[in-house]
Amino acid sequence: MLNVKAVGDAELGEGSPGFAMASNQGGFEISDAVNFAVDEDEMQTIERAIEPKIIPPQPQPTQPYYFQITFLGTKAHLETNLPHTDRTNSTPAGLAWLIGRSRNCAIVIPDPSVSRCHAVVGYDYHQGLYVMDMGSSNGTFLNQQRLTSLKRYPLTDGQILRFSQLTVQVFLNH
């Protein structure tokens, strides 16, 4: 059974102003079959009342630290909450980021177990995002697998990187 309900104080009748909603088993949807005259202010109120409340899914980090990578044409932008601070660090758009203990790195990890030039996270427009260990002493790990030095490994959304003992989750925005 289909019930018609007025939104607001107006009583529905033939030719009366108002807005109708159709109810079928408790759910409401806009009825195209019912057309009433509504002024502009009432229409804006109605539109706000029925506007979908879509909340995009938020990444659910499983690690305390992250790399959030946003793609910008042929370049990418990397944001992270590294090093061990509560603030977010943002790098310039680029093609590769050197990660290590050295102050010359794009992403500095002030941890003695991390090599001065530990790894590179890079972006190749044709091949995508990758990580490469730079011959570090304590290793770079992708999803718990130690990487071979100087070899590129593809990175995808949600993967876990580990630089020596420091773990980072990767999130991608295309």
Side-chain angles (χ1 to χ4, degrees):
M1 179 173 173
L2 187 67
N3 298 317
V4 177
K5 174 185 173 184
V7 175
D9 296 332
E11 289 287 324
L12 289 182
E14 191 171 323
S16 69
F19 182 73
M21 301 286 278
S23 171
N24 188 8
Q25 299 176 1
F28 285 96
E29 60 186 359
I30 299 174
S31 172
D32 292 329
V34 182
N35 189 10
F36 296 96
V38 178
D39 70 22
E40 191 173 329
D41 289 337
E42 287 176 320
M43 192 61 197
Q44 287 176 353
T45 302
I46 292 166
E47 287 172 352
R48 282 192 301 273
I50 63 172
E51 182 178 295
K53 303 293 185 211
I54 299 173
I55 301 171
Q58 297 296 314
Q60 298 300 315
T62 60
Q63 303 301 318
Y65 301 111
Y66 64 85
F67 287 163
Q68 178 79 43
I69 300 164
T70 304
F71 299 96
L72 307 165
T74 59
K75 294 185 177 184
H77 173 79
L78 188 146
E79 255 185 49
T80 181
N81 61 348
L82 291 174
H84 309 279
T85 66
D86 292 332
R87 64 185 181 91
T88 300
N89 294 318
S90 189
T91 66
L95 299 176
W97 299 273
L98 181 59
I99 300 164
R101 201 176 66 239
S102 170
R103 293 182 307 154
N104 296 326
C105 292
I107 300 169
V108 178
I109 302 174
D111 182 318
S113 70
V114 172
S115 296
R116 284 185 296 257
C117 296
H118 197 97
V120 169
V121 170
Y123 175 60
D124 179 294
Y125 182 70
H126 299 290
Q127 296 178 347
L129 197 65
Y130 65 89
V131 62
M132 180 171 57
D133 183 84
M134 298 300 293
S136 65
S137 300
N138 294 317
T140 301
F141 298 79
L142 177 60
N143 293 334
Q144 300 180 3
Q145 298 295 315
R146 188 171 182 148
L147 304 183
T148 302
S149 294
L150 303 177
K151 181 179 176 191
R152 289 183 179 187
Y153 292 84
L155 277 178
T156 58
D157 191 45
Q159 287 187 308
I160 306 294
L161 284 174
R162 195 173 90 220
F163 307 104
S164 183
Q165 301 302 312
L166 185 75
T167 305
V168 177
Q169 190 166 10
V170 177
F171 295 106
L172 306 180
N173 291 333
H174 292 278

